């Protein structure tokens, strides 16, 4: 079955984690030393990213995985969560029985397909402006600092930053949910333009580190 296209050499995003024109972000993760004192165990730009481009849609976005957990409550003993976050996440939109934290950079004018996730999502606009469009036709303009709680509804994001000429950035926390039933029918996750299972992209490692500027 067809899936998302891998970013081509002429991709807006190139090989770095951070999109051109947006501030470079940094990820830090804390832990404990043997003496019980706190320490930083990770300081980087994220483990990996997935570039998503839906066939037939004017859309390209780079999704960087910041952290993933697999279960609740989370087991922090022996740094088990660190290994799971680095090794077990393979590009899905959400983690079954867990959580995901991502940064999603949009190319200028990018418009996502209409889609529904199988999660409750906490979305924060970090850079730029977005129109959040629902399948009912309702639309709201989301600006820097605005927060959306996405309760597994059918929606799409439109990057209108700089009248569609600048990149934009969302911060997302996705939490797994129980199945939703409406009028006796279970609502499944889906995305227009993707013939395969919902929520999978093409994982890419950057070939160059993001700058600190």
């Amino acid at each position: 079955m067809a899936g998302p296209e891998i970013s081509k050499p002429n991709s807006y995003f190139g090989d770095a984690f951070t999109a051109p024109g947006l501030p470079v972000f940094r990820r830090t993760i804390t832990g404990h030393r043997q003496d019980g004192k706190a320490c930083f165990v990770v300081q980087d730009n994220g483990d990996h990213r997935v570039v998503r481009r839906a066939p037939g849609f004017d859309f390209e976005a780079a999704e960087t995985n910041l952290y993933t957990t697999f279960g609740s409550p989370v087991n922090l003993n022996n740094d088990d969560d660190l290994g799971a976050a680095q090794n077990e996440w393979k590009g899905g939109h959400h983690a079954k029985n867990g959580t995901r934290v991502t940064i999603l950079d949009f190319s200028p004018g990018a418009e996502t397909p209409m889609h529904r996730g199988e999660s409750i999502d906490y979305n924060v606009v970090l850079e730029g402006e977005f129109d959040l469009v629902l399948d009912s036709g309702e639309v709201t303009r989301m600006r820097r600092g605005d927060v959306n709680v996405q309760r597994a509804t059918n929606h799409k994001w439109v990057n209108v930053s700089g009248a569609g000429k600048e990149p934009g950035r969302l911060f997302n926390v996705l939490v797994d949910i129980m199945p939703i039933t409406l009028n006796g029918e279970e609502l499944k996750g889906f995305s227009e333009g993707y013939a395969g299972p919902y929520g999978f992209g093409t994982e890419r490692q950057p070939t160059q580190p993001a700058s600190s500027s």
Side-chain angles (χ1 to χ4, degrees):
M1 291 183 291
E5 298 176 3
I6 189 169
S7 178
K8 304 300 191 298
N10 63 350
S11 166
Y12 176 79
F13 296 100
D15 291 318
F17 272 11
T18 305
L22 293 178
V24 174
F25 59 83
R26 190 165 67 99
R27 177 184 72 162
T28 61
I29 301 175
T30 61
H32 292 95
R33 303 186 317 208
Q34 289 299 315
D35 62 5
K37 299 293 186 180
C39 63
F40 292 105
V41 295
V42 174
Q43 299 187 63
D44 61 11
N45 303 106
D47 288 328
H48 45 257
R49 74 173 189 187
V50 174
V51 174
R52 302 184 184 279
R53 180 187 294 165
F57 287 83
D58 182 19
F59 167 60
E60 189 177 42
E63 181 182 62
T64 299
N65 184 45
L66 297 179
Y67 214 71
T68 304
T69 63
F70 300 86
S72 181
V74 180
N75 181 17
L76 302 183
N77 294 296
N78 301 314
D79 293 337
D80 282 355
D81 59 312
L82 287 172
Q86 293 170 349
N87 300 322
E88 295 182 22
W89 185 81
K90 298 299 181 184
H93 270 309
H94 77 284
K96 195 65 178 174
N97 299 319
T99 65
R100 287 194 53 235
V101 182
T102 72
I103 280 182
L104 193 60
D105 286 351
F106 286 71
S107 60
E111 177 177 329
T112 75
M114 191 68 73
H115 61 284
R116 177 191 295 118
E118 296 177 1
S119 58
I120 183 169
D121 307 339
Y122 310 124
N123 305 304
V124 184
V125 178
L126 296 184
E127 302 289 343
E129 297 184 359
F130 293 83
D131 279 348
L132 175 56
V133 183
L134 307 183
D135 63 358
S136 63
E138 293 185 61
V139 183
T140 189
R141 179 65 53 90
M142 303 282 295
R143 296 179 172 85
R144 187 175 183 181
D146 287 349
V147 179
N148 163 249
V149 179
Q150 183 59 243
R151 299 177 63 250
T153 60
N154 198 7
H155 68 286
K156 67 178 179 179
W157 295 94
V158 182
N159 178 19
V160 296
S161 306
K165 298 180 180 179
E166 298 176 359
R169 173 175 290 165
L170 295 176
F171 174 84
N172 313 282
V173 179
L174 300 87
V175 182
D176 192 29
I177 58 173
M178 296 176 64
I180 298 177
T181 300
L182 183 63
N183 297 324
E185 181 178 346
E186 183 176 339
L187 300 180
K188 295 287 189 179
F190 87 102
S191 181
E192 290 182 299
Y194 293 88
Y198 172 75
F200 286 83
T202 304
E203 185 175 354
R204 305 182 70 223
Q205 297 285 347
T207 59
Q208 61 187 41
S211 66
S212 60
S213 59

